[in-house]
């Protein structure tokens, strides 16, 4: 976790629970959410440095985000499934497949983009 001001940039915390390269990340003042190429997703509490949510999605995590109320997280995996987590209950609340499109990504799979104002 990096803190910056107009005069400095400082590394304050390093989270190393992910074993593969990080493919997405989102943060607010108390939480850091990251997904990895092996499908692992971890949410850390910056104050304690401890994971508060750890999930295995089964394939690469392409995108992830936290909402501003710190009550929900969302992730998109490489199969085109969007998952929402209720952070108050520490559980997955919704799982939705993204509708395939005719566009092809670099990996050769087809999926439509999901635009949201989640954060």
């Amino acid at each position: 976790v990096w803190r910056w001001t107009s005069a400095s940039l400082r590394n304050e915390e390093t989270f190393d629970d992910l074993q593969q390269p990080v493919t997405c990340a989102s943060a607010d003042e108390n939480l850091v959410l990251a997904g990895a190429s092996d499908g692992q997703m971890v949410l850390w509490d910056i104050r304690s440095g401890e994971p508060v949510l750890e999930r295995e999605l089964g394939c690469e995590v392409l995108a992830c985000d936290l909402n501003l109320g710190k009550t929900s997280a969302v992730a998109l995996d490489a199969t085109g499934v969007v998952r929402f987590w209720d952070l108050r209950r520490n559980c997955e609340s919704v799982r939705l497949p993204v509708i395939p499109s005719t566009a092809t990504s670099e990996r050769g799979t087809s999926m439509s983009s999901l635009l949201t104002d989640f954060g």
Side-chain angles (χ1 to χ4, degrees):
V1 175
W2 294 85
R3 300 277 184 217
W4 68 88
T5 67
S6 59
S8 69
L9 175 64
R10 185 175 69 196
N11 181 334
E12 292 195 354
E13 188 74 46
T14 301
F15 301 106
D16 62 357
D17 295 293
L18 292 175
Q19 303 302 311
Q20 297 297 318
V22 172
T23 55
C24 64
S26 179
D28 67 14
E29 59 273 358
N30 294 319
L31 300 170
V32 174
L33 176 67
S37 62
D38 65 352
Q40 188 178 11
M41 191 177 80
V42 180
L43 177 69
W44 293 272
D45 185 321
I46 294 172
R47 296 163 293 190
S48 69
E50 296 297 317
V52 293
L53 177 74
E54 296 182 76
R55 294 292 183 264
E56 177 59 50
L57 304 189
C59 61
E60 183 176 4
V61 184
L62 299 178
C64 58
D65 200 6
L66 294 166
N67 76 334
L68 291 177
K70 301 175 216 151
T71 59
S72 302
V74 63
L76 171 67
D77 72 27
T79 66
V81 174
V82 177
R83 302 166 197 236
F84 293 87
W85 284 269
D86 182 335
L87 300 178
R88 296 166 294 186
R89 295 183 179 178
N90 200 16
C91 67
E92 185 176 323
S93 55
V94 178
R95 185 181 296 197
L96 302 168
V98 176
I99 300 169
S101 72
T102 57
T104 302
S105 72
E106 291 177 10
R107 292 180 183 85
T109 59
S110 294
M111 65 182 75
S112 59
S113 61
L114 176 69
L115 298 177
T116 181
D117 187 17
F118 189 70

